[in-house]
Amino acid sequence: MMKWARLESGFVRETIDFDPIGKFHPDLIWALCPDNVKEGYSYNGVDFQPPPAEPLTEVKKRKLVAIRDQASRLIEAKWPLWRQLNADAGIYPVEVKNQKNKDIVAVIMASNEAEDRVDIAITSIEVAAVQPVFPVI
């Protein structure tokens, strides 16, 4: 079954699975398209082309930001900044400061290990497969 693509400036803006002729404003441009065509595809009047793949460097940057954000949230959940500062200032017993340091180092090590796997990945699929294994702190 063929679909219809609504075109705007040479790009697919939406697809539908019924004949749009007479059902929408006449200024809208529609073309029959294969079932695999999606929003974002380009159309040159003959062929539909998928959007270019995101560069691997950009995929890696987004993944690294996500890993670092996850690590920060994990640390902040148990060790909010005020608690870290109090431990460092000696307001808590030294055992609390030692535990804080141990917890934060463990999370950073897990984050670094995942970041290293992102760095050596050679495909977007490999990057997506990287999931940090954070300790329970």
Side-chain angles (χ1 to χ4, degrees):
M1 175 176 151
M2 294 291 275
K3 294 192 308 186
W4 288 82
R6 184 175 64 81
L7 305 170
E8 190 176 296
S9 302
F11 291 94
V12 174
R13 296 300 179 210
E14 68 179 308
T15 61
I16 57 175
D17 59 2
F18 59 90
D19 185 345
I21 306 305
K23 296 179 178 99
F24 295 94
H25 193 280
D27 289 346
L28 296 177
I29 301 168
W30 296 91
L32 274 171
C33 65
D35 287 339
N36 67 328
V37 170
K38 298 177 184 140
E39 183 177 342
Y41 274 54
S42 63
Y43 183 63
N44 62 11
V46 178
D47 296 312
F48 288 91
Q49 296 294 323
E54 185 177 20
L56 184 59
T57 55
E58 292 302 313
V59 174
K60 286 183 174 187
K61 282 181 192 176
R62 276 191 299 103
K63 186 66 167 191
L64 292 172
V65 166
I67 290 168
R68 292 171 186 155
D69 285 348
Q70 192 176 358
S72 292
R73 284 192 310 274
L74 182 59
I75 291 168
E76 284 289 320
K78 182 170 182 184
W79 297 102
L81 185 57
W82 65 266
R83 192 168 181 213
Q84 292 180 44
L85 294 173
N86 286 348
D88 290 340
I91 294 173
Y92 300 130
V94 71
E95 294 81 19
V96 173
K97 180 179 179 179
N98 292 341
Q99 186 63 51
K100 173 201 63 104
N101 292 340
K102 179 182 170 192
D103 289 347
I104 291 174
V105 166
V107 171
I108 291 171
M109 287 177 61
S111 178
N112 288 346
E113 190 275 331
E115 291 174 34
D116 289 345
R117 288 189 287 134
V118 169
D119 287 340
I120 64 171
I122 58 173
T123 68
S124 296
I125 293 171
E126 289 177 7
V127 172
V130 173
Q131 295 300 324
V133 180
F134 289 113
V136 176
I137 61 170

Short mmCIF file of all heavy atoms in Angstrom, two decimals, residues 71-98:
data_model
loop_
_atom_site.label_atom_id
_atom_site.label_comp_id
_atom_site.label_asym_id
_atom_site.label_seq_id
_atom_site.Cartn_x
_atom_site.Cartn_y
_atom_site.Cartn_z
N ALA A 71 25.51 10.69 36.10
CA ALA A 71 26.45 10.59 37.22
C ALA A 71 26.24 11.74 38.21
O ALA A 71 26.20 11.52 39.43
CB ALA A 71 27.89 10.58 36.70
N SER A 72 26.07 12.93 37.69
CA SER A 72 25.85 14.10 38.57
C SER A 72 24.58 13.95 39.38
O SER A 72 24.56 14.25 40.59
CB SER A 72 25.77 15.38 37.74
OG SER A 72 27.02 15.67 37.17
N ARG A 73 23.49 13.50 38.74
CA ARG A 73 22.23 13.32 39.46
C ARG A 73 22.37 12.26 40.56
O ARG A 73 21.83 12.41 41.65
CB ARG A 73 21.11 12.95 38.49
CG ARG A 73 20.60 14.12 37.68
CD ARG A 73 19.31 13.80 36.95
NE ARG A 73 19.36 12.58 36.18
CZ ARG A 73 19.80 12.47 34.92
NH1 ARG A 73 20.26 13.55 34.31
NH2 ARG A 73 19.79 11.32 34.30
N LEU A 74 23.10 11.20 40.25
CA LEU A 74 23.30 10.14 41.24
C LEU A 74 24.07 10.67 42.46
O LEU A 74 23.69 10.41 43.60
CB LEU A 74 24.05 8.97 40.59
CG LEU A 74 24.31 7.75 41.46
CD1 LEU A 74 23.00 7.14 41.96
CD2 LEU A 74 25.09 6.71 40.66
N ILE A 75 25.13 11.40 42.20
CA ILE A 75 25.92 11.97 43.30
C ILE A 75 25.08 12.97 44.10
O ILE A 75 25.03 12.92 45.33
CB ILE A 75 27.20 12.63 42.77
CG1 ILE A 75 28.16 11.56 42.24
CG2 ILE A 75 27.87 13.47 43.86
CD1 ILE A 75 29.33 12.11 41.44
N GLU A 76 24.40 13.87 43.39
CA GLU A 76 23.61 14.91 44.06
C GLU A 76 22.46 14.33 44.88
O GLU A 76 22.04 14.92 45.86
CB GLU A 76 23.07 15.92 43.04
CG GLU A 76 24.12 16.88 42.55
CD GLU A 76 24.55 17.89 43.59
OE1 GLU A 76 23.70 18.39 44.35
OE2 GLU A 76 25.75 18.17 43.64
N ALA A 77 21.95 13.17 44.47
CA ALA A 77 20.84 12.56 45.21
C ALA A 77 21.27 12.18 46.63
O ALA A 77 20.51 12.35 47.58
CB ALA A 77 20.32 11.32 44.47
N LYS A 78 22.47 11.64 46.77
CA LYS A 78 22.94 11.26 48.10
C LYS A 78 23.81 12.34 48.73
O LYS A 78 23.82 12.50 49.95
CB LYS A 78 23.73 9.94 48.04
CG LYS A 78 24.18 9.51 49.44
CD LYS A 78 24.75 8.13 49.48
CE LYS A 78 25.13 7.77 50.91
NZ LYS A 78 25.79 6.47 50.98
N TRP A 79 24.56 13.02 47.91
CA TRP A 79 25.51 14.00 48.40
C TRP A 79 25.26 15.37 47.79
O TRP A 79 26.03 15.84 46.95
CB TRP A 79 26.95 13.54 48.13
CG TRP A 79 27.30 12.27 48.84
CD1 TRP A 79 27.36 11.02 48.31
CD2 TRP A 79 27.62 12.13 50.22
NE1 TRP A 79 27.70 10.11 49.29
CE2 TRP A 79 27.87 10.76 50.47
CE3 TRP A 79 27.72 13.04 51.28
CZ2 TRP A 79 28.20 10.28 51.73
CZ3 TRP A 79 28.05 12.55 52.54
CH2 TRP A 79 28.29 11.19 52.75
N PRO A 80 24.18 16.05 48.20
CA PRO A 80 23.97 17.40 47.69
C PRO A 80 25.16 18.28 48.09
O PRO A 80 25.88 17.97 49.05
CB PRO A 80 22.68 17.87 48.35
CG PRO A 80 22.33 16.86 49.38
CD PRO A 80 23.15 15.64 49.14
N LEU A 81 25.37 19.33 47.35
CA LEU A 81 26.57 20.16 47.55
C LEU A 81 26.71 20.62 49.00
O LEU A 81 27.81 20.58 49.56
CB LEU A 81 26.55 21.35 46.60
CG LEU A 81 27.79 22.23 46.63
CD1 LEU A 81 29.05 21.42 46.33
CD2 LEU A 81 27.65 23.39 45.66
N TRP A 82 25.62 21.02 49.63
CA TRP A 82 25.73 21.49 51.01
C TRP A 82 26.26 20.39 51.93
O TRP A 82 27.04 20.65 52.84
CB TRP A 82 24.38 22.02 51.52
CG TRP A 82 23.30 20.98 51.63
CD1 TRP A 82 22.37 20.68 50.70
CD2 TRP A 82 23.06 20.12 52.74
NE1 TRP A 82 21.55 19.66 51.14
CE2 TRP A 82 21.96 19.30 52.41
CE3 TRP A 82 23.66 19.92 53.99
CZ2 TRP A 82 21.44 18.33 53.25
CZ3 TRP A 82 23.15 18.95 54.84
CH2 TRP A 82 22.05 18.16 54.48
N ARG A 83 25.84 19.13 51.67
CA ARG A 83 26.31 18.02 52.51
C ARG A 83 27.78 17.73 52.24
O ARG A 83 28.54 17.41 53.15
CB ARG A 83 25.44 16.80 52.24
CG ARG A 83 25.64 15.70 53.25
CD ARG A 83 24.57 14.65 53.12
NE ARG A 83 24.79 13.63 54.14
CZ ARG A 83 24.50 12.36 53.98
NH1 ARG A 83 23.96 11.94 52.86
NH2 ARG A 83 24.74 11.51 54.95
N GLN A 84 28.18 17.82 50.95
CA GLN A 84 29.59 17.62 50.61
C GLN A 84 30.46 18.67 51.31
O GLN A 84 31.51 18.34 51.89
CB GLN A 84 29.80 17.72 49.10
CG GLN A 84 29.19 16.61 48.28
CD GLN A 84 29.46 16.79 46.81
OE1 GLN A 84 30.57 17.11 46.41
NE2 GLN A 84 28.43 16.60 46.00
N LEU A 85 30.01 19.92 51.25
CA LEU A 85 30.79 21.01 51.87
C LEU A 85 30.87 20.84 53.39
O LEU A 85 31.93 21.06 54.00
CB LEU A 85 30.18 22.36 51.51
CG LEU A 85 30.26 22.75 50.04
CD1 LEU A 85 29.47 24.03 49.77
CD2 LEU A 85 31.70 22.90 49.59
N ASN A 86 29.77 20.42 54.01
CA ASN A 86 29.79 20.19 55.45
C ASN A 86 30.74 19.06 55.83
O ASN A 86 31.47 19.14 56.82
CB ASN A 86 28.38 19.88 55.97
CG ASN A 86 27.51 21.12 56.03
OD1 ASN A 86 27.98 22.24 55.89
ND2 ASN A 86 26.21 20.91 56.20
N ALA A 87 30.73 18.00 55.01
CA ALA A 87 31.64 16.88 55.27
C ALA A 87 33.09 17.34 55.13
O ALA A 87 33.95 17.00 55.96
CB ALA A 87 31.35 15.72 54.33
N ASP A 88 33.38 18.11 54.09
CA ASP A 88 34.75 18.59 53.88
C ASP A 88 35.18 19.58 54.96
O ASP A 88 36.37 19.66 55.28
CB ASP A 88 34.87 19.24 52.50
CG ASP A 88 34.78 18.24 51.37
OD1 ASP A 88 35.00 17.03 51.61
OD2 ASP A 88 34.47 18.65 50.23
N ALA A 89 34.23 20.32 55.51
CA ALA A 89 34.55 21.31 56.54
C ALA A 89 34.74 20.68 57.91
O ALA A 89 35.11 21.36 58.86
CB ALA A 89 33.46 22.38 56.60
N GLY A 90 34.45 19.37 58.01
CA GLY A 90 34.64 18.71 59.30
C GLY A 90 33.44 18.79 60.21
O GLY A 90 33.54 18.45 61.40
N ILE A 91 32.31 19.24 59.70
CA ILE A 91 31.11 19.33 60.52
C ILE A 91 30.60 17.93 60.87
O ILE A 91 30.06 17.71 61.94
CB ILE A 91 30.04 20.18 59.81
CG1 ILE A 91 30.54 21.62 59.70
CG2 ILE A 91 28.70 20.10 60.52
CD1 ILE A 91 29.68 22.53 58.86
N TYR A 92 30.79 16.99 59.96
CA TYR A 92 30.43 15.60 60.20
C TYR A 92 31.67 14.83 60.62
O TYR A 92 32.79 15.26 60.38
CB TYR A 92 29.86 14.96 58.93
CG TYR A 92 28.61 15.63 58.40
CD1 TYR A 92 28.52 16.00 57.06
CD2 TYR A 92 27.51 15.88 59.22
CE1 TYR A 92 27.37 16.58 56.56
CE2 TYR A 92 26.37 16.46 58.72
CZ TYR A 92 26.31 16.82 57.38
OH TYR A 92 25.17 17.41 56.89
N PRO A 93 31.48 13.67 61.22
CA PRO A 93 32.64 12.83 61.57
C PRO A 93 33.44 12.48 60.31
O PRO A 93 32.91 12.45 59.20
CB PRO A 93 32.02 11.57 62.18
CG PRO A 93 30.63 11.97 62.59
CD PRO A 93 30.23 13.06 61.65
N VAL A 94 34.71 12.20 60.47
CA VAL A 94 35.61 11.89 59.35
C VAL A 94 35.11 10.70 58.55
O VAL A 94 35.34 10.61 57.34
CB VAL A 94 37.06 11.70 59.84
CG1 VAL A 94 37.22 10.40 60.62
CG2 VAL A 94 38.04 11.77 58.68
N GLU A 95 34.39 9.78 59.19
CA GLU A 95 33.85 8.61 58.47
C GLU A 95 32.86 9.05 57.39
O GLU A 95 32.78 8.42 56.33
CB GLU A 95 33.17 7.63 59.44
CG GLU A 95 34.09 6.97 60.43
CD GLU A 95 34.40 7.86 61.64
OE1 GLU A 95 33.66 8.82 61.91
OE2 GLU A 95 35.41 7.57 62.31
N VAL A 96 32.10 10.10 57.66
CA VAL A 96 31.14 10.61 56.67
C VAL A 96 31.90 11.18 55.47
O VAL A 96 31.55 10.91 54.32
CB VAL A 96 30.21 11.66 57.30
CG1 VAL A 96 29.32 12.31 56.25
CG2 VAL A 96 29.36 11.04 58.41
N LYS A 97 32.95 11.94 55.75
CA LYS A 97 33.75 12.50 54.66
C LYS A 97 34.38 11.36 53.85
O LYS A 97 34.38 11.41 52.61
CB LYS A 97 34.85 13.40 55.21
CG LYS A 97 35.74 14.00 54.14
CD LYS A 97 36.81 14.91 54.72
CE LYS A 97 37.68 15.48 53.63
NZ LYS A 97 38.70 16.37 54.17
N ASN A 98 34.89 10.34 54.52
CA ASN A 98 35.49 9.21 53.80
C ASN A 98 34.47 8.48 52.94
O ASN A 98 34.76 8.08 51.81
CB ASN A 98 36.16 8.25 54.79
CG ASN A 98 37.37 8.85 55.45
OD1 ASN A 98 37.94 9.83 54.97
ND2 ASN A 98 37.78 8.28 56.57
#
